[in-house]
Amino acid sequence: MEKIFGLIGLTVSHSFSKSYFDEKFFREGFRDYRYELFPLKNISDLETLIKETKGLTGLNVTIPYKEDVMKYLNEVDPAAQRIGAVNVIKFKEGKRIGFNTDSEAFRETLEKWLPKDKTFQALILGTGGSSKAVQEALKKLKIDFRVASRDKAKGDYSYEDINKNHEIITSSHLIINTTPLGMSPNNDSLPPIDYEHTTKDHYVYDLIYNPARTLFLQKAEMRGATIKNGLEMLHVQAEKSWQIWNN
Ligand SMILES: NC(=O)c1ccc[n+]([C@@H]2O[C@H](COP(=O)([O-])OP(=O)(O)OC[C@H]3O[C@@H](n4cnc5c(N)ncnc54)[C@H](OP(=O)(O)O)[C@@H]3O)[C@@H](O)[C@H]2O)c1
């Protein structure tokens, strides 16, 4: 029987997940497996999708539903529960079970990328589902961090705070963008921080991978920072999703 996998989110056309799994299924000979894009106007539409999709085996979850999807699940794995966000759903024996592979994927890629002989103070931009996964990863790596939000009540700093006090950027040698600012097709937008204070000592990681070099990364790179986009993280989290669906 055909097995269906896919991605749910508000807009999913920007995603590389489908081409990743299409190629994987072709390469590994899974001829009855399909990976589909399922844009949902509202997360409550998930109920209809599940009812109407025969053979549905696994889903990835993207912006902005990683937190709201949790109330539609029967079980949530303890790590995803602790993080407070789900990006993988497995359908097993009539149950919907939630997992988080973003956090470990981010941790693994960050650990490989950062120099081992330096200590970092990190600044995370955004407070949504992937920010929570990043926070969990930094805790595991014992990297001290602060969080920026448009709403000061949700984070440690507002963007106004950051731009009033340059120390925040100069002392945060690891800056991570977990907002959708700069993601295709809105390539012209970028987080509103003062890029003049980024230097060659900064490591700047954008979870966005489409485009490959967001304006956020370009501005930091122009000042000598070392940059990384979210493509490797996407591949690592996709492989971890695959292991969960097949376990
Ligand atoms: N590479 C990967 O594998 C990978 C994995 C996960 C996510 N991502 C990418 O990460 C991004 C965020 O995904 P997500 O699932 O975490 O989304 P999300 O749950 O909607 O969270 C995004 C957060 O960004 C902030 N934000 C949203 N719109 C903003 C705006 N106009 N200006 C400033 N801040 C804004 C918000 O935080 P505040 O309200 O606190 O400001 C929001 O909570 C997306 O681009 C997604 O594709 C990539």
Side-chain angles (χ1 to χ4, degrees), residues 14 61-67 85 87 102 105-106 125-133 147-152 154-155 159 177-184 189-192 205-210 229-238:
H14 67 277
V61 184
T62 190
I63 181 171
Y65 299 137
K66 288 181 184 182
E67 294 162 273
N87 70 299
D102 280 341
F106 177 76
L125 310 178
T127 62
S130 57
S131 171
K132 292 189 166 65
V147 183
S149 171
R150 290 166 299 176
D151 173 0
K152 187 158 176 170
K154 289 200 281 175
Y159 292 97
N177 178 34
T178 73
T179 79
L181 293 169
M183 183 169 72
S184 177
S189 59
L190 75 173
Y205 194 143
D206 199 335
L207 264 53
I208 296 171
Y209 52 82
N210 182 13
N229 71 23
L231 190 61
E232 187 188 9
M233 176 180 167
L234 177 83
H235 291 164
V236 175
Q237 72 76 25

